Amino acid sequence: SDLVLLNEQPQIMHTFNMLMQARSEQGLANSYLMNAYAMEILIYLIRALPPVLEEPSGILNKSNRQIKAMELDRMSVIEGYLYEHYADGNIADLADRLALSEQHVRRFLRKNYDMSFSQLLNKQRVNVSKKLLQNTDKYIAEIWEAVGFGSAQNFAIAFKKYTGISPSEYREKHLHNRP
């Protein structure tokens, strides 16, 4: 019966195939892209579920199922945005994409990620930096500029915060993992 649901939903199969393709590719494809595809699949599945409870009249405008789907939609947009715009992202642009105020986006991020926009953006920048340090011979200065950090000092502080070591230590530690 689960397979029937997937076969009846071509958009689910398409997204699932994209997820599997992202999973099999090497390089800078990371968990954010795969998470975004997985979120999309969950959204499709949640929308396909029959309502469990009737909506209380006059109390809520949307059922819990609709609210969860909206949150998953937003999370998918946020993670896709961070994946694509780590170097130049800003909260105003993200708020426009979500059709929300910047303050609402800040509250949403704090509630669902327990992080600010800047923290999420820096974490994504560090994740991309880690891949570049592992898989390229680019200078560290080239990397911090390419991923959007404003200075070497900001890059070093953020990198150490999320990895526990400096960028040069990280590269040295992961040299043996190169193809």
Side-chain angles (χ1 to χ4, degrees):
S1 66
D2 294 335
L3 189 55
V4 173
L5 175 66
L6 289 176
N7 288 333
E8 292 177 356
Q9 302 291 335
Q11 66 269 33
I12 294 175
M13 288 304 297
H14 173 73
T15 305
F16 180 77
N17 289 333
M18 296 298 291
L19 171 67
M20 297 313 294
Q21 180 182 352
R23 183 174 176 254
S24 68
E25 291 177 359
Q26 296 287 331
L28 294 180
N30 64 26
S31 63
Y32 283 107
L33 182 60
M34 290 180 10
N35 284 343
Y37 288 135
M39 289 286 186
E40 268 189 65
I41 291 169
L42 283 173
I43 290 165
Y44 291 136
L45 295 174
I46 288 171
R47 287 181 178 157
L49 292 174
V52 177
L53 299 173
E54 289 188 31
E55 186 175 326
S57 59
I59 298 174
L60 293 175
N61 291 334
K62 299 186 186 304
S63 69
N64 282 342
R65 185 172 64 103
Q66 288 171 314
I67 293 169
K68 290 291 182 195
M70 280 178 42
E71 284 186 4
L72 290 174
D73 276 339
R74 288 177 181 161
M75 292 171 83
S76 180
V77 169
I78 290 165
E79 291 177 13
Y81 179 84
L82 291 170
Y83 178 78
E84 293 176 18
H85 297 280
Y86 58 84
D88 62 353
N90 63 72
I91 196 159
D93 188 30
L94 179 59
D96 285 344
R97 286 174 188 251
L98 292 167
L100 299 171
S101 70
E102 290 181 31
Q103 188 57 36
H104 194 113
V105 173
R106 284 186 188 94
R107 283 193 305 268
F108 185 86
L109 295 175
R110 187 60 65 190
K111 175 186 168 202
N112 291 284
Y113 293 93
D114 198 29
M115 297 177 100
S116 69
F117 177 78
S118 297
Q119 289 170 320
L120 282 169
L121 190 61
N122 284 340
K123 186 174 183 181
Q124 175 62 1
R125 288 172 173 169
V126 167
N127 286 337
V128 173
S129 299
K130 287 169 33 181
K131 298 289 185 190
L132 291 170
L133 287 166
Q134 280 180 277
N135 300 316
T136 72
D137 292 324
K138 289 185 177 187
Y139 292 110
I140 291 175
E142 289 178 283
I143 292 173
W144 67 256
E145 287 176 349
V147 300
F149 280 101
S151 71
Q153 183 179 8
N154 288 343
F155 175 59
I157 290 168
F159 197 93
K160 189 151 189 157
K161 176 181 179 180
Y162 292 110
T163 65
I165 57 177
S166 72
S168 55
E169 289 171 319
Y170 184 88
R171 175 173 268 169
E172 190 65 35
K173 185 176 180 181
H174 292 89
L175 276 177
H176 67 278
N177 293 341
R178 287 195 180 176

